[in-house]
Amino acid sequence: PVTSGNGDGLPFQNARFIEIAGAVADRKGNFFIYDEGANNIRVVRPNGIIETFLRDVTLARRGTVPPLSADSLGLIGLSSRGVLVRLTASGVQPYSTTPIDLGGSPYAIDGDDNVYFFRAGALVRRAPNGAESSIPFGTSSSWRPGILASQMFV
């Protein structure tokens, strides 16, 4: 990696960010950070070295919904149009072609590329082909969106 004024090529502690808007780890131990202020995605490798993963990328931030997630193949982002996109070092690739109305809900993606989120009192599973199914839950449920999204389908 090329060392620059943002700390690329150096230990993570030397990194500089403008406005962090999301972060996620992948299965390989990489930790991705979306710097919304710089429109970059940075990655901290398992060895602690940081580098810029993808430049000039704009992701959506809807309420408290994090703009980054990961699936079995790598990094996923929520575009400003509400469409999930795959983020690779070579650019932004389509992940799905139809917008997903997350309604401010956190989301998670399982190993089969199903997207899970909350809508109108139900847990919704959206399959890669766009088909949706839902499981309603009561208001007395101990499942809360933030807890469930961070614990399910890992």
Side-chain angles (χ1 to χ4, degrees):
V2 177
T3 302
S4 66
N6 62 9
D8 276 4
L10 299 173
F12 171 73
Q13 296 85 341
N14 298 333
R16 291 188 212 124
F17 300 95
I18 296 173
E19 182 181 354
I20 295 174
V24 67
D26 70 9
R27 292 180 179 187
K28 297 176 184 172
N30 298 301
F31 187 71
F32 296 90
I33 302 166
Y34 175 49
D35 186 347
E36 185 175 49
N39 289 334
N40 291 333
I41 296 175
R42 312 283 295 288
V43 59
V44 180
R45 301 290 182 194
N47 64 4
I49 301 298
I50 191 164
E51 57 190 76
T52 299
F53 178 75
L54 187 60
R55 298 181 192 284
D56 301 319
V57 61
T58 302
L59 300 176
R61 186 165 45 155
R62 299 207 167 112
T64 59
V65 176
L68 290 178
S69 188
D71 70 359
S72 59
L73 299 176
L75 195 60
I76 302 296
L78 182 63
S79 78
S80 56
R81 294 185 354 244
V83 175
L84 291 176
V85 291
R86 182 163 304 285
L87 304 163
T88 68
S90 54
V92 178
Q93 311 295 325
Y95 180 85
S96 64
T97 55
T98 55
I100 296 177
D101 177 14
L102 296 173
S105 169
Y107 64 100
I109 302 171
D110 69 13
D112 294 325
D113 293 337
N114 295 300
V115 180
Y116 297 84
F117 57 97
F118 292 93
R119 183 192 300 144
L123 173 64
V124 178
R125 182 185 78 172
R126 184 173 185 162
N129 67 4
E132 292 185 358
S133 58
S134 61
I135 302 168
F137 58 90
T139 56
S140 63
S141 172
S142 62
W143 290 95
R144 293 193 313 250
I147 292 171
L148 183 57
S150 66
Q151 295 177 351
M152 70 179 190
F153 312 109
V154 177

